[in-house]
């Protein structure tokens, strides 16, 4: 693979190979000196056209753990509105000798556009509603760590599916590993169709016999746009202790963060032992190390 | 005097010839030769009446960085257009008789394609207070439209239709229900969901057309004069069906389609390239087929470009921020000649009619047929194939979704009132 934009066209073998590398990287992170020279001499730029501290830190840490040089560029949405061109920004960075660009944007497709413009490799750090492939990879890694295999496992994704890049990437990735994916949310927040997933407006149907439940963050904008009513959402779509009884005993709980406690998820559940939320964040660094390694070094081998 | 020998004639009446067309005094003097200072060999070429575009954005005044009258009207004659309707959504909008006169005067001085400015239906295109239909007509406005905006207030649209009817002005509408469209940038459906792009539903077009047709029905009932509603850039099968039913019921409605809605589909958005971002959006193959059927059967009356130039930098933004629009004056005919006529057998006679008499009828202009005495507004077309190269466009917008496509039917000579305004003959 040349870039990581989404999982269109990926094979199970490619995913497994990447996750194998992530396991090696996870071991590195257990060492007293958490640094290897794998990317010495390479320069990674985090180019965030949309603010996101957590994802940016995770990528920057991943690059530094492999001895890459890291620069970060944060554009204000306002300067884009003024007509500053993405292309100019990227070509300016290219002139400085960047090898890999981690790109985050509020519009779908910006990393795809970037991949046409720059010579370096592009990692999608989240683009609009389209994709957040490293989040899906770290989710898959975390699930595999807990379940051993995803073959035949039922994973439910709950919430605002329509506007969620995390949901889209998981729906592309998890079936590649043998999982059965269900997505559930209010009708105004459900797509018409997503290849790879079963769609339902009924939460209980998605939760039934699920091995793991991924809860998405509910954005305030959806309420302001009149797409949902908050109390109605809480009444029908909040993942609670009681509702989770529909799922398999000890079904696992994931959330890409940041959480709205007691909105999409009953607050106490987030801290329960079935919650993998902190594991997801922890694994994010190893997974992102594996992605950068594969793109920058792996393709030469 | 100019003599074009052995040329095949094509107009709404059909193909015929070869003829030796003698042109002088701004007219076709003879179809059987004569003495001339300049003689061109027209063997293998097609001679057609000059095209009329009902829907071009020439961006003057206010956004000359995207296009101006000089670049836009030169692009027009390079595309075989001798007559152009410019849209009034400029900065400021063309909503006064003075603004219409100023545009016409400047265009006349350029001596390229003839400009027939459209004027705004409402002041500032704000959809509230009507403009002065009668005075705008006297100043030379060809139609009234708030194009780009969608006339949310039903009562204002009704009053506008009644007012325009008195002066014989068509009212053209951009048919999209904005509250259903929301922030949609591509056709709403499974592909939009997959790509994570906000969708613009086909029903947003149909819902607005259905409303506008009811408003037209009302205006017909209330008016002594015949109102005329023209629906711009139709993009959906359902919208077409509504127009077809209305025409069968005898309502005075006309409609146009664009080159991009006939040759591209939503699949182009898989590239996430804002070059393909248009309003209304590119639809499905099923919609394309319906539109082509609509052109054949006459539900659609005209082909119109919706030529919408922007700067390169604007089109290098993301899909949410980049502006809507494609520049197409210079490729419209070769594109449809190749994709519809050559590849699908669409009758050439009907195709030419959709570029000439179709739009002329909508503006109440007389048809132009290639016969002795006809005005010499003509275009000579070369069936020889060549690539689309936007770097060579006269338009300031030097990009195209059809870049690299191989097309035939390129204009090689354009005459306005007998004057050569463009030539690319070797």
């Amino acid at each position: 693979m040349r870039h990581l934009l989404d999982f269109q066209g990926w094979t199970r073998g490619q995913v497994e190979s990447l996750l194998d590398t992530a396991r090696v990287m996870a071991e590195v992170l257990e060492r007293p000196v958490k640094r290897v020279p794998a990317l010495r001499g390479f320069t990674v730029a985090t180019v965030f056209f949309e603010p996101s501290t957590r994802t940016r830190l995770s990528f920057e840490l991943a690059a530094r753990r492999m001895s890459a040089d890291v620069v970060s560029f944060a554009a204000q949405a306002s300067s884009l509105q003024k007509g500053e061109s993405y292309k100019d920004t990227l070509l300016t960075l290219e002139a400085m000798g960047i090898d890999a660009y981690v790109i985050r944007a509020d519009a779908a497709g910006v990393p795809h556009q970037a991949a046409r413009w720059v010579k370096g490799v592009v990692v999608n750090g989240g683009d609009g509603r389209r994709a957040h492939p490293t989040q899906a990879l770290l989710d898959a890694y975390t699930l595999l760590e807990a379940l051993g295999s995803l073959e035949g496992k039922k994973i439910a994704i709950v919430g605002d599916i329509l506007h969620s890049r995390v949901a889209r990437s998981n729906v592309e990735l998890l079936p590649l590993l043998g999982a059965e994916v269900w997505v559930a949310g209010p009708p105004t927040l459900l797509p018409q169709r997503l290849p790879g997933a079963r769609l339902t407006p009924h939460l209980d149907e998605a939760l039934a016999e699920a091995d793991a439940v991924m809860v998405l963050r509910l954005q305030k904008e959806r309420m302001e746009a009149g797409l949902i009513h908050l109390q109605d959402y809480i009444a029908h779509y909040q993942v609670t202790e009681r509702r989770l009884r529909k799922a398999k005993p000890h079904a696992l709980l994931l959330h890409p963060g940041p959480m709205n406690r007691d909105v999409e998820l009953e607050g106490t559940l987030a801290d329960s032992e079935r919650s993998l939320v902190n594991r997801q964040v922890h694994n994010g660094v190893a997974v992102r190390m594996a992605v950068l390694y594969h793109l920058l070094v792996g393709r030469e081998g | 005097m100019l003599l074009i020998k052995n040329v095949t004639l094509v107009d709404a009446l059909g193909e015929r010839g070869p003829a030796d067309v003698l042109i002088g005094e701004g007219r076709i003097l003879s179809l059987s030769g004569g003495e001339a200072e300049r003689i061109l060999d027209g063997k293998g070429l097609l001679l057609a009446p000059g095209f009329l575009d009902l829907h071009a954005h020439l961006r003057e005044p206010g956004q000359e960085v995207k296009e101006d009258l000089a670049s836009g009207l030169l692009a027009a004659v390079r595309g075989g257009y001798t007559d152009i309707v410019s849209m009034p959504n400029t900065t400021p909008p063309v909503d006064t008789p003075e603004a219409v006169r100023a545009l016409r005067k400047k265009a006349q001085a350029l001596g390229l394609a003839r400009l027939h400015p459209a004027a705004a239906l409402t002041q500032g295109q704000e959809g509230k207070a009507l403009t002065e239909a009668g005075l705008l007509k006297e100043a030379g406005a060809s139609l009234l439209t708030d194009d780009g905006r969608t006339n949310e207030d039903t009562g204002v649209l009704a009053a506008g239709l009644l007012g325009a009817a008195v002066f014989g002005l068509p009212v053209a509408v951009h048919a999209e229900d904005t509250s259903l469209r929301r922030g949609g940038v591509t056709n709403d459906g499974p592909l939009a969901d997959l790509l994570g792009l906000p969708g613009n539903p086909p029903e947003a077009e149909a819902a607005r057309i259905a409303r506008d047709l009811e408003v037209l029905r009302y205006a017909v009932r209330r008016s002594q004069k015949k109102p005329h509603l023209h629906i711009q850039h139709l993009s959906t099968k359902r919208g077409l069906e509504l127009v077809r039913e209305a025409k069968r019921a005898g309502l005075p409605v006309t409609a146009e389609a664009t080159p991009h809605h006939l040759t591209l589909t939503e699949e182009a958005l898989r590239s996430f390239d804002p070059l393909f971002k248009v309003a209304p959006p590119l639809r499905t193959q099923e919609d394309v087929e319906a539109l082509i059927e609509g052109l054949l059967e006459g539900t659609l009356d005209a082909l119109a470009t919706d030529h919408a130039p922007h700067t390169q930098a604007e089109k290098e933004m993301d899909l949410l921020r980049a502006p809507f629009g494609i520049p197409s004056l210079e490729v419209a005919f070769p594109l449809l000649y190749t994709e519809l006529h050559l590849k699908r057998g669409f009758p050439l006679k009907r195709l030419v009619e959709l570029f000439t008499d179709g739009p002329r009828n909508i503006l109440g202009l007389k048809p132009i047929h290639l016969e002795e005495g006809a005005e010499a507004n003509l275009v000579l077309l070369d069936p020889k194939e060549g690539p689309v190269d936007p770097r060579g466009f006269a338009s300031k917008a030097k990009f195209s979704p059809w870049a690299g496509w191989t097309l035939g039917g390129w204009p090689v000579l354009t005459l306005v009132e007998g004057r050569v305004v463009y030539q690319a003959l070797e």
Side-chain angles (χ1 to χ4, degrees):
Chain A
M1 77 191 148
R2 168 101 171 81
H3 307 285
L4 176 56
L5 305 176
D6 51 37
F7 296 111
Q8 297 286 307
W10 274 54
T11 63
R12 181 172 189 152
Q14 284 173 311
V15 178
E16 286 174 345
S17 159
L18 193 61
L19 294 177
D20 284 345
T21 307
R23 273 178 211 107
V24 176
M25 297 303 177
E27 283 165 29
V28 169
L29 298 178
E30 300 300 318
R31 296 177 193 169
V33 178
K34 302 175 180 58
R35 188 186 278 262
V36 288
L39 295 187
R40 185 178 288 158
F42 288 100
T43 307
V44 175
T46 51
V47 187
F48 276 47
F49 296 113
E50 178 191 63
S52 162
T53 309
R54 295 157 47 121
T55 303
R56 186 170 57 78
L57 283 179
S58 181
F59 269 109
E60 290 179 2
L61 206 51
R64 290 203 172 96
R65 297 283 193 229
M66 292 187 292
S67 307
D69 293 318
V70 178
V71 295
S72 75
F73 176 87
Q76 298 299 311
S78 59
S79 65
L80 292 172
Q81 298 290 9
K82 284 179 202 154
E84 182 184 1
S85 157
Y86 286 98
K87 191 176 178 180
D88 285 345
T89 302
L90 288 162
L91 294 183
T92 301
L93 286 167
E94 177 142 292
M96 295 179 191
I98 303 299
D99 300 295
Y101 303 81
V102 178
I103 296 177
R104 169 76 155 239
D106 64 354
V110 172
H112 299 70
Q113 290 175 279
R116 291 198 287 270
W117 295 330
V118 298
K119 294 191 189 77
V121 304
V122 174
V123 181
N124 186 349
D127 64 325
R129 310 174 182 182
R130 172 65 196 109
H132 196 353
T134 57
Q135 176 72 41
L137 284 166
L138 73 88
D139 291 338
Y141 184 94
T142 306
L143 283 166
L144 284 168
E145 195 179 46
L147 296 169
S149 159
L150 294 187
E151 199 60 57
K153 298 291 195 302
K154 179 177 176 182
I155 316 290
I157 308 178
V158 178
D160 179 1
I161 309 297
L162 185 65
H163 300 95
S164 172
R165 52 187 167 221
V166 175
R168 265 183 198 78
S169 280
N170 270 295
V171 164
E172 285 174 359
L173 180 67
L174 297 176
L176 280 176
L177 297 168
E180 178 193 342
V181 180
W182 283 68
V183 300
T188 49
L189 301 180
L190 269 185
Q192 194 178 329
R193 189 153 56 83
L194 277 186
R198 306 264 311 254
L199 278 66
T200 175
H202 305 295
L203 181 57
D204 287 352
E205 203 179 352
L207 293 185
E209 298 300 313
D211 295 278
V213 181
M214 190 178 295
V215 187
L216 302 175
R217 175 180 165 80
L218 186 70
Q219 310 259 351
K220 271 195 196 126
E221 299 98 272
R222 310 308 164 217
M223 290 167 248
E224 285 156 10
L227 293 176
I228 45 157
H229 186 284
L230 180 62
Q231 292 310 322
D232 196 40
Y233 185 88
I234 289 172
H236 294 98
Y237 294 97
Q238 186 186 72
V239 174
T240 61
E241 189 82 51
R242 186 177 59 78
R243 284 221 175 85
L244 261 188
R245 287 184 203 134
K246 300 265 182 204
K248 289 222 177 102
H250 315 296
L252 302 167
L253 205 58
L254 292 89
H255 193 300
M259 279 183 280
N260 294 309
R261 279 171 189 263
D262 295 314
V263 177
E264 64 261 12
L265 180 68
E266 202 168 39
T268 50
L269 273 177
D271 308 317
S272 69
E273 56 186 34
R274 61 187 6 183
S275 166
L276 297 177
V277 175
N278 288 332
R279 249 350 256 178
Q280 288 173 275
V281 177
H282 176 83
N283 290 336
V285 178
V287 164
R288 286 169 177 131
M289 286 169 77
V291 167
L292 290 170
Y293 180 80
H294 263 248
L295 291 174
L296 286 168
V297 181
R299 66 184 176 129
E300 289 167 4
Chain B
M1 298 277 216
L2 169 66
L3 180 64
I4 308 174
K5 295 187 68 154
N6 288 312
V7 72
T8 300
L9 307 180
V10 56
D11 58 20
L13 303 177
E15 269 180 88
R16 57 203 181 277
D20 296 340
V21 183
L22 184 69
I23 298 155
E25 298 156 27
R27 303 200 164 268
I28 294 177
L29 297 176
S30 160
L31 296 176
S32 52
E35 291 294 314
E37 294 91 53
R38 185 176 177 201
I39 298 171
L40 293 176
D41 181 10
K43 194 162 190 297
L45 306 179
L46 298 165
L47 187 70
F51 307 147
L52 186 153
D53 187 15
L54 284 172
H55 193 152
H57 296 272
L58 300 186
R59 306 295 187 204
E60 188 172 338
Q63 291 185 299
E64 288 85 351
V65 65
K66 295 175 188 245
E67 195 82 286
D68 57 25
L69 288 185
S71 63
L73 293 173
L74 183 59
V77 295
R78 287 169 58 100
Y81 291 94
T82 53
D83 296 86
I84 289 284
V85 176
S86 56
M87 287 297 112
N89 63 336
T90 47
T91 320
V94 177
D95 61 357
T96 63
E98 294 72 27
V100 171
R101 278 198 196 92
L103 278 178
R104 290 187 67 216
K105 191 174 169 195
K106 190 161 179 191
Q108 275 160 8
L110 288 166
L112 295 162
R114 296 179 297 190
L115 188 71
H116 308 265
L121 179 68
T122 62
Q123 292 172 34
Q125 291 197 306
E126 287 174 355
K128 293 172 187 154
L130 293 174
T131 52
E132 313 147 295
L135 295 174
L136 287 165
K137 168 81 176 185
E138 285 165 23
S142 56
L143 55 82
L144 302 181
T145 181
D146 284 344
D147 177 49
R149 310 282 283 272
T150 65
N151 300 110
E152 300 306 308
D153 189 317
T154 308
V156 168
L157 178 63
L161 266 169
L162 289 170
V166 176
F167 304 101
L169 279 171
V171 171
V173 289
H174 179 122
E176 282 189 309
D177 184 311
T178 47
S179 62
L180 195 52
R181 175 181 94 178
R182 291 185 186 265
V185 300
T186 185
N187 185 47
D188 187 57
L191 185 64
D193 285 344
L194 181 70
L195 298 179
L197 292 171
N200 177 337
E203 293 84 358
E205 177 173 277
R208 183 46 55 90
I209 289 176
R211 183 206 71 166
D212 289 353
L213 289 171
E214 290 306 312
V215 174
L216 178 61
R217 204 181 295 276
Y218 162 82
V220 167
R221 184 169 65 75
R222 299 291 303 185
S223 178
Q224 307 302 314
K225 299 274 185 176
K226 193 174 175 186
H228 176 175
L229 179 75
H230 177 69
I231 296 172
Q232 299 174 308
H233 43 52
L234 215 104
S235 70
T236 63
K237 183 182 180 186
R238 181 64 192 136
L240 187 87
E241 284 168 0
L242 290 166
V243 175
R244 183 186 292 137
E245 288 162 23
K247 282 193 159 185
R248 281 187 186 149
L251 281 178
V253 59
T254 53
E256 68 189 33
T258 72
H260 46 273
H261 289 119
L262 293 162
T263 57
L264 301 167
T265 68
E266 59 175 0
E267 289 292 326
L269 270 298
R270 281 188 191 271
S271 66
F272 293 99
D273 190 337
L275 194 52
F276 300 102
K277 182 179 172 184
V278 280
L282 301 175
R283 302 289 186 181
T284 66
Q285 192 60 41
E286 190 185 3
D287 293 301
V288 171
E289 298 301 326
L291 293 178
I292 293 172
E293 184 59 35
L295 291 169
L296 276 172
E297 70 183 11
T299 301
L300 290 165
D301 303 85
L303 288 160
T305 62
D306 194 7
H307 174 79
H310 295 289
T311 65
Q312 188 88 26
E314 286 174 301
K315 278 294 197 183
E316 281 168 0
M317 297 304 292
D318 58 79
L319 274 170
L320 300 184
R321 291 179 184 81
F324 295 96
I326 290 174
S328 52
L329 275 173
E330 286 159 89
V331 297
F333 186 82
L335 185 68
L336 297 176
Y337 175 82
T338 307
E339 298 298 313
L340 297 191
H341 172 60
L342 293 182
K343 292 192 179 165
R344 304 179 56 125
F346 190 96
L348 184 58
K349 169 188 154 181
R350 175 66 181 150
L351 184 66
V352 169
E353 183 178 28
L354 288 159
F355 275 87
T356 56
D357 289 356
R360 293 180 71 85
N361 286 339
I362 290 168
L363 295 191
L365 301 172
K366 280 188 294 195
I368 296 188
H369 298 142
L370 302 179
E371 54 202 11
E372 287 180 9
E375 276 182 39
N377 298 302
L378 302 167
V379 56
L380 192 62
L381 302 157
D382 188 350
K384 196 172 71 194
E385 292 193 332
V388 177
D389 182 3
R391 289 171 303 180
F393 281 179
S395 169
K396 291 186 181 182
K398 299 192 192 306
F399 52 83
S400 172
W402 303 286
W405 288 31
T406 300
L407 307 176
W410 292 97
V412 289
L413 182 78
T414 306
L415 300 174
V416 171
E417 295 164 4
R419 282 178 299 111
V420 173
V421 290
Y422 168 66
Q423 61 176 323
L425 286 166
E426 285 142 21

